[in-house]
Amino acid sequence: EYPIIYRVPLPIPPVKQPKMTVANPVTGKDIWYYELETRLFTQQVYPNLGPATLVGYDGMSPGPTFIVPRGTETVVRIMNNAELETSVHLHGSPSRAPFDGWAPDVTQPGEYKDYYWPNEQSGRMLWYHDHAEGITSLNANSGQAGAYILTDPAEDALGLPSGYGEYDIPLVLTSKHYNQDGTLKSTVGEAKSYWGDVIQVNGQPWPFLAVEPRKYRFRFLNAAVSRSFALYFVRAAAPDGKLPFQVIASDAGLLAAPVPVSDMYVAMAERYEIVFDFSAYAGESLELRNLNKVGGIGTDDDYAHTNQVMRFVVGADPVPDNSTVPARLRDVPFPPSSTGIDHHFRFHRSQGEWRINGVGFADVENRVLAHVPRGTVELWELENASGGWSHPIHVHLVDFRVLDRYGDEANRGVMPYESQGLKDVVWLGRHETVLVEAHYRPWDGVYMFHCHNLIHEDHDMMAAFNVTALDA
Ligand code: C2O
Ligand code: CU
């Protein structure tokens, strides 16, 4: 029933080209102007079933990859030629509030919106995806997500494996569910989770990638609706032994130093970049796998092949490789330290909905749960009080430091690849409580924070915080 495992090559999303460059008279910076269209398309996902109707940016899923140099501003005109309303969030960007994808700020079919993004932060992989109120899971699952890479000269100088699509490859993970006729099962009607039994990388179920026996940089993005991953590599011929690799970056870019691991957690919306060295495996096949039950941290439903992700077919002939992974990657701009917990947020379920401190986003009167004076550093305690469920929590606008994790029976603490860098999503596994610290700047405005299980986000585990102006 799955005639496609490891048979089709990994697609690489094309690079989105700007239409023109203009100078911003206010900031003096270059603006790259783009036009992007959200529209229906069909794709033959299964060779032996009918095609799936999807809705994606420029008619593809994932959407095209933006590659933008740090310090170049972007204006993206996003035309909604789909059937449902949309709102687009650039996840990982300190965008001004009107361009942050505020869920009720929807663009109707037949209309467009121009988004302005500053791109001032350090190099990283961001992603753009739908954020329309109540239908984010539906829109994102139907294809509205893509990678957005911010390049940085400080990073280019390190000598890491490079070349988009060559030795620097985005791996956008999703997990979907198809009907008997090959059409995509929608998320409508799901109140708790949409696990999916088909693992896709860059839109292709269980692809393979032919690689050279050398180092590669892979940029993982978990763009699934509800599935979290615990990833590891094995030899196809000996799937019991996990192979070593190095984590070099997280949501907000490079870590202070590479973290050697043999497996890692990647919850929804998290980005992790790794370097994998294939030089020891010339002529072999390797597989990227996913631990059942996400190693006990998550509660995902597993299916026949959800422990498999993709295959790497390593060339037999030696190749030159002058890329390196330096022992120090950068000085991470951690926020100045603060004292005392400023806010405590409980993520729980009550009266048939997912909520934060008893509030859901539909509760318009009460949904602003924090007022944060601009420029202050705050410590937030995020408590998973929903029993067996797990929640990856995303805070808009800021990069935060994960200071502590407690309360769970697995007692995993903060993973080194979480603490060595800055993040904008942190995974609250079952019964876990996490402490995050962030510098609330650079803009005033009302921003969202929420669970990134998109079913939970839609129903209704999302609230807001207001970064308030300093007194004159
Ligand atoms: Cu990636 Cu508020 O979202
Ligand atoms: Cu959740």
Side-chain angles (χ1 to χ4, degrees):
E1 3 160 284
Y2 293 97
I4 50 171
I5 292 185
Y6 307 148
R7 305 249 176 104
V8 179
L10 176 78
I12 304 290
V15 177
K16 180 71 183 175
Q17 301 298 334
K19 287 203 91 164
M20 61 172 142
T21 303
V22 293
N24 183 329
V26 178
T27 64
K29 298 193 174 168
D30 275 353
I31 298 175
W32 287 5
Y33 170 77
Y34 296 82
E35 291 178 356
L36 191 73
E37 183 194 11
T38 312
R39 67 164 183 261
L40 242 74
F41 65 104
T42 56
Q43 186 170 316
Q44 192 72 40
V45 180
Y46 282 94
N48 54 344
L49 299 177
T53 300
L54 304 173
V55 183
Y57 301 117
D58 283 355
M60 61 184 96
S61 174
T65 300
F66 287 76
I67 301 183
V68 178
R70 176 181 191 182
T72 300
E73 300 176 343
T74 47
V75 170
V76 185
R77 173 164 297 184
I78 305 181
M79 180 73 208
N80 180 5
N81 280 333
E83 284 164 347
L84 299 174
E85 53 197 28
T86 60
S87 176
V88 180
H89 173 51
L90 179 58
H91 183 137
S93 165
S95 304
R96 286 190 183 264
F99 309 110
D100 196 48
W102 176 250
D105 177 25
V106 291
T107 301
Q108 297 298 332
E111 298 182 342
Y112 65 78
K113 173 166 175 166
D114 292 343
Y115 288 82
Y116 163 57
W117 292 320
N119 305 312
E120 263 172 27
Q121 74 275 43
S122 54
R124 65 187 64 187
M125 184 168 80
L126 307 89
W127 62 304
Y128 61 106
H129 64 78
D130 186 70
H131 218 298
E133 187 170 11
I135 55 168
T136 292
S137 65
L138 175 59
N139 282 347
N141 188 56
S142 68
Q144 291 167 52
Y148 185 110
I149 295 172
L150 197 59
T151 62
D152 190 328
E155 200 177 304
D156 296 342
L158 294 176
L160 294 163
S162 63
Y164 176 80
E166 194 181 13
Y167 304 118
D168 175 353
I169 295 181
L171 298 175
V172 180
L173 308 176
T174 50
S175 180
K176 305 210 182 189
H177 195 131
Y178 294 90
N179 301 312
Q180 293 296 332
D181 61 359
T183 56
L184 182 69
K185 182 174 185 289
S186 127
T187 61
V188 171
E190 304 291 346
K192 293 193 170 175
S193 272
Y194 176 99
W195 301 118
D197 60 347
V198 175
I199 306 297
Q200 301 185 181
V201 190
N202 297 349
Q204 173 60 46
W206 300 287
F208 75 86
L209 178 68
V211 294
E212 297 167 12
R214 53 156 288 159
K215 291 188 281 303
Y216 281 73
R217 176 180 187 165
F218 293 116
R219 301 178 188 248
F220 288 122
L221 156 62
N222 180 348
V225 173
S226 300
R227 182 173 297 283
S228 38
F229 290 85
L231 299 172
Y232 62 102
F233 292 82
V234 293
R235 292 181 144 98
D240 290 334
K242 296 178 182 173
L243 307 176
F245 58 99
Q246 290 179 288
V247 186
I248 59 164
S250 60
D251 306 335
L254 292 173
L255 307 180
V259 173
V261 296
S262 59
D263 55 36
M264 68 178 312
Y265 301 112
V266 188
M268 292 79 82
E270 284 189 301
R271 288 88 71 211
Y272 282 111
E273 301 179 29
I274 67 157
V275 172
F276 192 94
D277 189 350
F278 292 100
S279 63
Y281 313 105
E284 296 190 56
S285 279
L286 308 187
E287 284 179 24
L288 180 62
R289 295 281 187 111
N290 175 34
L291 276 177
N292 285 328
K293 290 290 171 202
V294 210
I297 307 297
T299 42
D300 307 22
D301 280 354
D302 293 321
Y303 298 93
H305 298 280
T306 49
N307 65 331
Q308 291 169 284
V309 179
M310 65 179 289
R311 172 170 283 188
F312 298 89
V313 181
V314 190
D317 298 327
V319 295
D321 180 6
N322 49 28
S323 68
T324 56
V325 181
R328 294 277 317 159
L329 295 168
R330 69 160 172 158
D331 290 324
V332 176
F334 290 115
S337 48
S338 61
T339 46
I341 292 167
D342 296 283
H343 289 282
H344 177 90
F345 296 116
R346 286 181 82 234
F347 295 81
H348 64 108
R349 193 169 167 83
S350 69
Q351 296 158 328
E353 290 280 77
W354 303 97
R355 299 190 194 277
I356 307 173
N357 288 0
V359 171
F361 198 73
D363 186 352
V364 175
E365 297 297 312
N366 298 304
R367 70 187 176 196
V368 177
L369 293 182
H371 291 81
V372 186
R374 173 162 56 87
T376 56
V377 177
E378 289 208 342
L379 211 50
W380 290 10
E381 189 176 50
L382 312 176
E383 179 196 0
N384 180 355
S386 59
W389 291 85
S390 81
H391 311 282
I393 304 305
H394 172 41
V395 182
H396 284 227
L397 183 69
V398 297
D399 299 333
F400 54 70
R401 181 179 198 165
V402 183
L403 290 179
D404 206 353
R405 172 182 279 118
Y406 35 86
D408 64 313
E409 65 263 27
N411 200 26
R412 61 177 172 146
V414 181
M415 309 304 291
Y417 46 79
E418 293 177 299
S419 62
Q420 288 272 318
L422 288 166
K423 296 188 48 57
D424 54 41
V425 181
V426 66
W427 192 11
L428 304 190
R430 290 186 298 154
H431 312 296
E432 291 177 350
T433 293
V434 166
L435 213 50
V436 297
E437 185 173 55
H439 204 163
Y440 287 81
R441 58 171 191 185
W443 323 116
D444 309 340
V446 179
Y447 289 89
M448 299 171 286
F449 70 108
H450 58 89
C451 178
H452 224 292
N453 178 331
L454 301 180
I455 303 294
H456 299 185
E457 175 178 341
D458 284 342
H459 293 278
D460 188 28
M461 198 179 254
M462 180 157 78
F465 60 100
N466 187 357
V467 179
T468 53
L470 303 170
D471 291 335

